[in-house]
Amino acid sequence: MAKISLVVGNGLSISFGNQSGISHNFDSQQPLNWNVICPTTGDLLIDNLPSLKRLWQKNISKPHFEIFGFALDKFYCNLIGLDSFKTTLEARHFLTIAFSEYSLLQSSKLNIDWTWFQWLELHKSEIKGALSFNYDLLLESTFDKLGVMDKIHAGVGSNAIYCLYLQGIKAMNQKTALFVMINTPRRMDAS
């Protein structure tokens, strides 16, 4: 009988990163340090996002997710000469591509030796639901590898169809989709 619901945060990714060795090059708390390649130019992605890069350079000692929060602060962006709308779009773009690559790397390294994989496998018949607050797809990839993804009810926030579509094409996970939906400034059409 199903009786476990999971709420997963960054600890799951940190555990996996430490056990798989990917945390040496990919600290999930500092994605701006990752060498993410721009799909169209082949250069570093951050070099193609000038507003985000400038925001990062002005706040180099700050935690990265605090920097992403600054992108949403219109007053702060104005103060340092940035357009908050453009900076937020660049932050969203960076997070989407960076964590898509990160999720692919995690998926390629996912194996049955990981402690949490073993625990989830042991308890998979008891798991009723799961909610991930991570930008990566580690929990979803683990459920998929265990063959239980269709049996687990995953929390996807307010726009389930949009989030499930993005997850289905492996573009992003729930948290990233919610960041995109909630934090993308909307401009009124003047017509």
Side-chain angles (χ1 to χ4, degrees):
M1 181 164 129
K3 55 186 169 188
I4 297 174
S5 290
L6 300 172
V7 178
V8 174
N10 197 42
L12 189 74
S13 298
I14 291 171
S15 168
F16 181 79
N18 289 337
Q19 196 161 342
S20 68
I22 66 173
S23 63
H24 298 304
N25 295 323
F26 295 93
D27 179 344
S28 61
Q29 292 298 294
Q30 298 183 359
L32 291 167
N33 289 340
W34 301 350
N35 291 324
V36 180
I37 302 300
C38 178
T40 55
T41 67
D43 300 327
L44 287 178
L45 179 61
I46 193 70
D47 292 337
N48 290 275
L49 304 170
S51 296
L52 179 60
K53 185 175 182 177
R54 184 163 171 220
L55 181 65
W56 179 31
Q57 289 170 336
K58 292 244 181 226
N59 296 281
I60 200 78
S61 64
K62 300 274 187 192
H64 290 193
F65 285 95
E66 191 173 322
I67 295 169
F68 289 119
F70 290 156
L72 302 171
D73 186 335
K74 290 178 186 177
F75 177 77
Y76 180 74
C77 283
N78 255 355
L79 189 66
I80 62 170
L82 294 174
D83 177 349
S84 178
F85 179 80
K86 182 177 179 185
T87 308
T88 299
L89 290 176
E90 288 183 9
R92 179 189 69 178
H93 189 72
F94 181 87
L95 285 170
T96 301
I97 292 176
F99 276 93
S100 292
E101 284 190 20
Y102 184 64
S103 292
L104 290 172
L105 177 61
Q106 284 178 322
S107 186
S108 73
K109 303 271 186 190
L110 187 59
N111 65 58
I112 61 172
D113 296 330
W114 179 41
T115 310
W116 282 107
F117 185 93
Q118 294 170 359
W119 188 91
L120 289 166
E121 184 172 40
L122 181 66
H123 297 284
K124 68 184 178 184
S125 64
E126 301 171 71
I127 299 173
K128 179 179 176 105
L131 174 64
S132 175
F133 288 102
N134 291 339
Y135 284 104
D136 59 52
L137 295 169
L138 181 59
L139 182 63
E140 295 87 341
S141 296
T142 303
F143 283 156
D144 193 43
K145 190 163 189 155
L146 289 169
V148 296
M149 189 61 174
D150 295 336
K151 298 175 181 86
I152 306 292
H153 302 286
V156 293
S158 62
N159 195 339
I161 294 170
Y162 180 64
C163 293
L164 287 174
Y165 167 75
L166 291 171
Q167 289 174 307
I169 61 170
K170 303 276 190 234
M172 61 179 68
N173 72 356
Q174 298 151 1
K175 187 174 180 184
T176 308
L178 290 174
F179 178 88
V180 169
M181 292 183 317
I182 294 168
N183 296 314
T184 301
R186 286 156 179 70
R187 295 200 175 176
M188 299 292 290
D189 185 0
S191 57

